[in-house]
Amino acid sequence: MNRSKITLADIAETAGVSPATVSRVLNGDPRVATDRVERVNRAIKELGYSPNRAARTLVTGKTGLVAAVIDSNLNVFSDPFWGQITTGISQALQEANFSALLMVRPLDVDDPSVVASLAPGQVDGAIFFQLHNDDTVNLLQDMGLPLVVVGRPEASSKLVYVDSDNLGGAVQATEHLIARGCRTVATVAGNQQLSSGRLRLEGYRRALVDADVAFDESLVAYGDWTDESGAAAMGTLLDSRPDIDGVFVANDLMALGVMTVLEQRGLKVPDQIAVVGFDNMFAGRLGRQQLTTVEQDVQGLGAKAASMVIQMIDGGKPSSVVLPTSLIVRETA
Amino acid sequence: MNRSKITLADIAETAGVSPATVSRVLNGDPRVATDRVERVNRAIKELGYSPNRAARTLVTGKTGLVAAVIDSNLNVFSDPFWGQITTGISQALQEANFSALLMVRPLDVDDPSVVASLAPGQVDGAIFFQLHNDDTVNLLQDMGLPLVVVGRPEASSKLVYVDSDNLGGAVQATEHLIARGCRTVATVAGNQQLSSGRLRLEGYRRALVDADVAFDESLVAYGDWTDESGAAAMGTLLDSRPDIDGVFVANDLMALGVMTVLEQRGLKVPDQIAVVGFDNMFAGRLGRQQLTTVEQDVQGLGAKAASMVIQMIDGGKPSSVVLPTSLIVRETA
DNA sequence: TCTTCTCCTGAAAGCGTTTTCACGCGCTCA
DNA sequence: TGAGCGCGTGAAAACGCTTTCAGGAGAAGA
């Protein structure tokens, strides 16, 4: 049970070879004679040895660590996707023998601590989540840190990102509503501080324009992604525009609120008013129906981000990626 | 911009002192003359130096890392709490100058890789999430790894854990139903593989017994935490026992399904049937009402786990903790 | 047979810190 | 005034690994 201190030297001794040889075996150097490889591996297994990361890092300069950085000012906390994304990241990193370092920090203040934690030599790369401002990230990039952003940075930014096709998904959703015959299509938009919120609204607008329908401000209401805010937004919308016969809701949680309001007002879904959500968060029914929604591959988002960062660490220059979304037609539209 | 290689030796040189002195300043050794401290700090700022973790780890033997380990066989992924817990952990660790290492791995197979990643010297401590089997964890504990479990391990286990008061919360919820006059209280239980599922069911049972109501198997249906399964369970329940006038649902997502079914069947909530959930996941309305539910402090759970692990790293022997839950009475019961 | 390669191996340097140890200095206390 | 003390400092060893370098043993070529 005293695994306390088994070093490479120990196993060199019991295997009767030099430390250098052990190191070579560990790193798969093909030049070592097979019988020695055998002896070394046996010794490793026997003594239950595992190499000391710190020592290895010290000489190679590679930490084997990739940081996943979340702006704590952002409430991604309660987002159910957060778990899936981190899972995607963690597993993809793991397969490439990296570990994920989790950092939930305020990014907007000029906090030197986050920069220090990510300075060269501390981690090999980093993945940032949808940020308010890019300053810190740009600084780190200039310092030579391989990094990718999950979500969409400012258009002018040079940052490499990976994102779901929020725009395309919103277009699909809205087109679907138009195609099924809705004449007055409204939207409950999400937080416009976030690129996902902006793009889903823009997709709605674009689909309308493409269908030669004028964009009408009075058909847009804003929520903050919560079910509550969705309900409130839908209420406002209906009060001013009772003629609405279709609504694209920027996420499923708000759609939950929307469905509730529609039921309270006795509006039949989808006959009187059709509803499309975004996220595919609920497998089951919302009110009387199953929600038609846009699905995104959240775990894939994380995995992609991880593989891109690894690519950059290996000296590659991957370009930004937008992952496709797909419309899942169920009962509400 | 060439932060590439600034070492302690560099700043020793520009400050005109020995490396040893710089190290002492870095570690707040009080014995260094104030003017030298001043000189050193100036040099540090000037050169933008930050100490190399690996080198430090190598000599001190402390990594400054705490692993957060999740069984990937478990689908905590989609659990919205996962984000909050990790946030709690990450922030609490950060305050104590530790970093969180995220590991999503299969724990039930005899995977040596997870043990190797957590062997002494790789991390200072670990936090495990509700596990199916304790073998790996016990092994690591025997190897001297400071660790705490989030969730409830087997009763016989020696593991230190932190958990919400699932039992107490369920008792509260059920008592509330009884107190408001429900005569036939059913429950939609969660996954019985998980301690939370078992304890919430047990709490329901205990509250009944305490109120001198016989526990009746036909009033129990099982779901798997999803809204779909909640709806199915409630349907089954009502088919066999139309006399039910109150139901404790083991989580809010299933309660969402339950509410839908009740509405479909035209049952008035809470007059004909009262509903209490668990988790306080939805701020808004479910169907026509706002859900009465049991709230747990998820982020606090993570923070507590982190502080306990730190305590253990510092040589302490914290005992297990059960965090209180509270009943939030709204409209459905 | 003697050189020249090739192949495998070990010795040793070095990665950037912390920490022990010893030293010199200026005091205080007999 | 001399012994002793505490304090601040630097030299150097150590942490566990990788990697360069050089050497020894054969094999191949002359």
Side-chain angles (χ1 to χ4, degrees), chain A residues 7-8 23 27 49 52 56 59:
Chain A
T7 77
L8 177 146
S23 173
N27 296 293
Y49 165 78
N52 179 311
R56 186 173 280 186
V59 43

Side-chain angles (χ1 to χ4, degrees), chain B residues 19 23 50 82 92 100 114 133-134 176 179 184 188 193 216-218 222 250 254 261 269 273 300 304 306 320:
Chain B
S23 174
S50 68
W82 173 226
V114 56
N133 101 1
D134 297 355
H176 177 72
T184 313
V188 174
Q193 307 257 62
D216 184 343
E217 277 288 356
S218 72
Y222 299 87
M254 292 197 295
V261 168
V269 178
I273 180 165
K304 191 70 193 170
S320 298

Side-chain angles (χ1 to χ4, degrees), chain A residues 13-51:
Chain A
E13 189 174 357
T14 68
V17 300
S18 76
T21 298
V22 177
S23 173
R24 284 192 264 260
V25 171
L26 249 36
N27 296 293
D29 189 317
R31 299 175 311 182
V32 182
T34 43
D35 61 321
R36 291 183 174 231
V37 173
E38 166 64 18
R39 286 222 307 277
V40 168
N41 280 329
R42 193 163 35 221
I44 288 179
K45 209 154 298 172
E46 192 175 314
L47 301 193
Y49 165 78
S50 67

Side-chain angles (χ1 to χ4, degrees), chain A:
Chain A
M1 291 304 158
N2 62 343
R3 312 260 193 170
S4 24
K5 293 285 152 192
I6 299 160
T7 77
L8 177 146
D10 294 333
I11 91 118
E13 189 174 357
T14 68
V17 300
S18 76
T21 298
V22 177
S23 173
R24 284 192 264 260
V25 171
L26 249 36
N27 296 293
D29 189 317
R31 299 175 311 182
V32 182
T34 43
D35 61 321
R36 291 183 174 231
V37 173
E38 166 64 18
R39 286 222 307 277
V40 168
N41 280 329
R42 193 163 35 221
I44 288 179
K45 209 154 298 172
E46 192 175 314
L47 301 193
Y49 165 78
S50 67
N52 179 311
R53 251 202 216 233
R56 186 173 280 186
T57 296
L58 189 55
V59 43
T60 60
K62 321 233 107 253
T63 60
L65 258 33
V66 169
V69 189
I70 303 93
D71 188 342
S72 58
N73 299 306
L74 220 51
N75 267 36
V76 212
F77 314 158
S78 44
D79 190 327
F81 296 147
W82 174 225
Q84 294 182 52
I85 292 212
T86 51
T87 297
I89 290 179
S90 171
Q91 290 186 337
L93 287 180
Q94 150 70 8
E95 274 162 31
N97 276 312
F98 282 88
S99 297
L101 207 57
L102 188 64
M103 304 178 52
V104 181
R105 300 278 186 81
L107 281 186
D108 55 349
V109 296
D110 261 285
D111 186 354
S113 88
V114 56
V115 174
S117 317
L118 296 175
Q122 312 296 52
V123 298
D124 293 342
I127 298 172
F128 283 83
F129 288 84
Q130 34 187 12
L131 10 111
H132 287 137
N133 100 2
D134 297 355
D135 292 352
T136 307
V137 184
N138 281 317
L139 171 61
L140 285 164
Q141 171 140 298
D142 289 345
M143 286 167 67
L145 180 72
L147 63 86
V148 357
V149 174
V150 175
R152 200 78 53 110
E154 291 168 13
S156 60
S157 165
K158 295 262 181 207
L159 298 170
V160 175
Y161 66 84
V162 45
D163 197 12
S164 279
D165 189 5
N166 289 298
L167 183 81
V171 168
Q172 264 186 298
T174 310
E175 279 175 348
H176 177 73
L177 287 169
I178 295 171
R180 88 189 304 284
C182 298
R183 317 300 310 258
T184 312
V185 179
T187 189
V188 174
N191 183 348
Q192 296 297 302
Q193 307 257 62
L194 299 181
S195 62
S196 51
R198 287 193 300 272
L199 287 167
R200 290 178 194 180
L201 177 55
E202 172 60 16
Y204 159 82
R205 204 188 57 74
R206 195 169 296 186
L208 290 184
V209 170
D210 285 355
D212 285 326
V213 178
F215 174 76
D216 183 344
E217 277 289 356
S218 73
L219 291 174
V220 180
Y222 299 87
D224 63 2
W225 304 125
T226 63
D227 50 338
E228 257 181 321
S229 72
M234 194 68 226
T236 311
L237 233 31
L238 286 173
D239 289 344
S240 67
R241 296 294 303 258
D243 56 324
I244 292 172
D245 59 358
V247 57
F248 164 56
V249 190
N251 78 339
D252 284 357
L253 197 53
M254 291 196 297
L256 170 60
V258 166
M259 291 297 290
T260 305
V261 167
L262 296 182
E263 240 174 286
Q264 280 176 336
R265 303 212 177 190
L267 290 167
K268 288 216 171 53
V269 178
D271 298 337
Q272 293 179 264
I273 181 165
V275 179
V276 181
F278 205 116
D279 283 350
N280 194 25
M281 171 169 178
F282 300 106
R285 293 167 180 277
L286 253 49
R288 299 190 184 281
Q289 286 98 10
Q290 288 184 285
L291 186 67
T292 292
T293 192
V294 178
E295 178 181 44
Q296 51 174 333
D297 178 9
V298 182
Q299 197 162 330
L301 215 56
K304 191 70 194 170
S307 74
M308 285 168 68
V309 124
I310 291 170
Q311 219 178 114
M312 294 178 77
I313 291 172
D314 292 342
K317 269 278 153 219
S319 40
S320 298
V321 169
V322 173
L323 267 60
T325 54
S326 53
L327 183 71
I328 299 186
V329 178
R330 291 200 276 240
E331 299 171 5
T332 61

